[in-house]
Amino acid sequence: MLDRDPACNRLLEPVLYFKGFHAIQTYRLAHALWRSGRSDFALCLQSLSAQVFQTDIHPAARIGSGFFLDHATGVVIGATAVIEDDVSMLHGVTLGGSGKAAATATPRCGAAC
């Protein structure tokens, strides 16, 4: 985070103050719960995170390591989204499917996109 956010001067700052970091950590916990079959608790965490951080990340989304969410307000990441490693994203981004058809329901974000 220090190398991608000029406002970050110490490693402690994201842990204490950055809602994008908090939203990602909440997603990671919700995702682990989702994968272990505890979908109700995972969706509850998603809902609380959306209310508190104004960032809606579905627990079924697949997000790689090194994901950086700067400012975070208004970000929506749907259940079918795939975000590869080391992706930076700013506020106001929506990654969601445009329908149930397999060809249109999986938005991707990463080096090959």
Side-chain angles (χ1 to χ4, degrees), residues 67-87:
F67 178 54
F68 173 59
L69 190 53
D70 197 12
H71 297 286
T73 300
V75 170
V76 178
I77 301 173
T80 61
V82 177
I83 300 173
E84 296 176 2
D85 294 342
D86 300 317
V87 170

Side-chain angles (χ1 to χ4, degrees), residues 1-11 13-14 18 66-68 70 86-88:
M1 183 157 310
L2 284 172
D3 59 335
R4 289 199 255 173
D5 189 350
C8 185
N9 298 312
R10 301 173 296 157
L11 285 175
E13 288 175 4
F18 293 5
F67 178 54
F68 173 59
D70 197 12
D86 300 317
V87 170
S88 295

Side-chain angles (χ1 to χ4, degrees), residues 19-56:
K19 71 178 178 178
F21 179 81
H22 297 156
I24 293 167
Q25 299 315 310
T26 304
Y27 154 78
R28 299 239 183 252
L29 176 57
H31 183 69
L33 291 165
W34 184 269
R35 290 180 49 118
S36 69
R38 300 189 66 191
S39 59
D40 288 333
F41 189 32
L43 290 170
C44 180
L45 279 178
Q46 173 199 5
S47 178
L48 291 171
S49 178
Q51 289 174 7
V52 172
F53 305 124
Q54 297 89 41
T55 302
D56 191 358

